[in-house]
Amino acid sequence: MSRETPLTAVARPALRAGVLLVYIVGVEWARALVGTAPYAAIPALVLGGLALGVTAWGWSQSSLGLSSSRLGLRLLGGVAIAAVLLLPAAVRAGAAPMLPVSVAAAAVVVSVGEEIAFRGALFAALEQVGGAPLAAIGTTVAWTAAHALSHPPEFLGAVAAAGLLLGLWRAVCRDLVAPIVGHVIADLAL
Amino acid sequence: MKKAALLAAAAILYAGMAWMVAPGFYDGFTPPQPYNFVCPPPQAGANLPPTSGHLVIKVIGGVSDANSAFTDDGQVVIGFLPGSFKVNPGQTTITVDITPVSPCPKPAGLHFSTNAYHVTADATLVKPATLVMVYSNLTTDPSFVYRAQSGDGPWENIGAASQARLWTIDTKTSTLGYFAAGFPSNAVSPNGAGSGQQVLPFIVAALIAAVLLAGIPLTIIRRRQAAGGGDADEKEDEEP
């Protein structure tokens, strides 16, 4: 019968969080690089989204923040997050890019995959290491790093702020449904 | 209350950060870099002028080498196969120049989504060249590439290949000259991108309305339930 020492109690979750972080950022970077090849943009989005979704394996629904309880409020929270994410573009420009229809389905896959990976699995892993504050900050840093290849540098401040908002929602409300809904709506609209 | 304040602060921080970059968004499927317009649309925000391109193609054994000319900002790329140019006797190099056209041509019946570019060479093109033009996510997607021998037109539709990369349109051209990507003014963009550009404020207004209209009654109902049957909210907060 094995007994878990204090060291392994910390090291194992930390190792798991580290592996998850490297995997998730690696998938995002690979997706960004492969997507620049001819005819690869949509396959890269779909495969990247699916590869990110794999990170949910081994986690319970509750530890990922997924639940159907209070579903109305969770969905409403997602709508509110989407409104916040889209508001600057709506007010600042009065017009903004709309996602081509051909990319919309792929955008849904990758949005859901990103939320499961960052605010779901990685958040849960980091929370086991250092609690919700570490998880919110850690997922924000990882999220920003993951977008470093796909976004111009001047956008990374907004990317980080969005990651922080989504991560705080996950921490405060113990909910992943709203970040998924908000992320999907925002990506479809932009 | 403290949690709500934290989320509100994060939302305000995001709004501030997103406000600093045009068009004010955090993610989505953007081109790798903002488009440099000769005539920027109002929603473009800060805009850098587009750059020109210059290429010297070697002539080896009387045949022009394969090479690609591109503008420094990568908004136009034109690729040439070996032997693409008619080489004059004694000619050892062929020079290709790409220059953004200013002022912006505004031909009747056409709307250009991209800048117009003038592509010149000091030899005659004898094999079709592949032209790739980047376009902005802030403008309506172009349907075709148009070519003219003068900046004043007339502009000829030279088609478009199927989209190989997002935010690019490409075609083949048998002559050099003036190029721009766009669509007939009376046409609807094939993927609907442009038609939706003014929809965003309405989408956001609808989202806010949905939050207010559904959120207030939901909150009241939940408070009544909590007051009548214990603090179900607190339990669910811990385990959603």
Side-chain angles (χ1 to χ4, degrees):
Chain A
M1 191 170 166
S2 65
R3 195 165 37 162
E4 199 171 59
T5 65
L7 184 63
T8 53
V10 175
R12 196 172 291 169
L15 181 65
R16 180 160 58 175
V19 169
L20 262 176
L21 191 147
V22 170
Y23 173 78
I24 291 168
V25 174
V27 168
E28 288 280 74
W29 284 357
R31 179 172 72 77
L33 293 173
V34 172
T36 60
Y39 302 103
I42 292 174
L45 285 174
V46 173
L47 292 175
L50 294 174
L52 291 172
V54 167
T55 57
W57 184 77
W59 296 97
S60 66
Q61 277 195 355
S62 62
S63 57
L64 289 173
L66 293 170
S67 170
S68 57
S69 72
R70 297 187 301 165
L71 189 60
L73 281 177
R74 290 171 192 263
L75 294 174
L76 201 59
V79 173
I81 288 175
V84 170
L85 294 176
L86 293 171
L87 190 60
V91 175
R92 188 183 196 281
M98 298 291 287
L99 197 63
V101 173
S102 58
V103 193
V108 171
V109 175
V110 82
S111 302
V112 174
E114 283 188 334
E115 286 310 313
I116 287 173
F118 286 99
R119 260 67 65 177
L122 184 60
F123 187 97
L126 288 170
E127 192 173 30
Q128 286 184 349
V129 177
L134 174 72
I137 293 167
T139 53
T140 300
V141 172
W143 163 261
T144 309
H147 287 78
L149 295 187
S150 57
H151 286 60
E154 59 267 30
F155 282 88
L156 292 181
V159 170
L164 184 64
L165 173 64
L166 294 165
L168 281 176
W169 179 282
R170 171 75 173 84
V172 166
C173 302
R174 316 297 306 157
D175 172 43
L176 185 61
V177 175
I180 289 175
V181 172
H183 194 158
V184 167
I185 294 174
D187 272 9
L188 285 176
L190 290 174
Chain B
M1 199 65 190
K2 198 174 167 185
K3 293 175 178 177
L6 197 61
L7 286 172
I12 291 167
L13 175 68
Y14 165 76
M17 297 302 286
W19 188 264
M20 290 160 64
V21 286
F25 61 91
Y26 82 107
D27 194 12
F29 300 89
T30 58
Q33 63 185 51
Y35 192 83
N36 300 328
F37 290 96
V38 173
C39 303
Q43 65 267 32
N47 178 67
L48 294 173
T51 56
S52 53
H54 177 78
L55 172 71
V56 177
I57 300 174
K58 288 179 185 170
V59 174
I60 303 168
V63 177
S64 63
D65 201 5
N67 213 327
S68 294
F70 50 87
T71 57
D72 293 340
D73 53 19
Q75 293 185 171
V76 176
V77 180
I78 183 163
F80 303 103
L81 295 168
S84 285
F85 291 94
K86 181 182 177 186
V87 179
N88 298 318
Q91 193 170 12
T92 56
T93 59
I94 293 165
T95 302
V96 179
D97 286 290
I98 308 174
T99 314
V101 178
S102 182
C104 300
K106 298 197 184 300
L110 291 178
H111 180 89
F112 288 154
S113 308
T114 67
N115 301 325
Y117 287 88
H118 188 200
V119 184
T120 58
D122 57 1
T124 306
L125 189 68
V126 292
K127 280 186 184 175
T130 303
L131 178 73
V132 181
M133 302 188 80
V134 173
Y135 58 88
S136 170
N137 58 345
L138 299 178
T139 56
T140 303
D141 292 5
S143 304
F144 306 108
V145 177
Y146 293 87
R147 181 182 61 204
Q149 293 309 312
S150 156
D152 298 328
W155 292 86
E156 173 194 5
N157 180 343
I158 57 170
S162 61
Q163 189 182 40
R165 292 186 178 89
L166 290 175
W167 316 114
T168 66
I169 184 168
D170 61 270
T171 189
K172 288 193 180 295
T173 178
S174 54
T175 60
L176 302 182
Y178 291 79
F179 297 92
F183 55 92
S185 297
N186 60 355
V188 175
S189 179
N191 65 10
S195 58
Q197 284 179 14
Q198 299 297 333
V199 170
L200 188 60
F202 296 102
I203 293 175
V204 174
L207 293 172
I208 293 170
V211 171
L212 294 175
L213 291 176
I216 291 170
L218 265 175
T219 306
I220 292 170
I221 290 168
R222 292 198 60 79
R223 282 185 187 278
R224 282 183 183 165
Q225 284 176 344
D231 55 353
D233 280 359
E234 294 298 321
K235 284 177 187 171
E236 284 185 348
D237 273 344
E238 286 169 19
E239 195 176 339

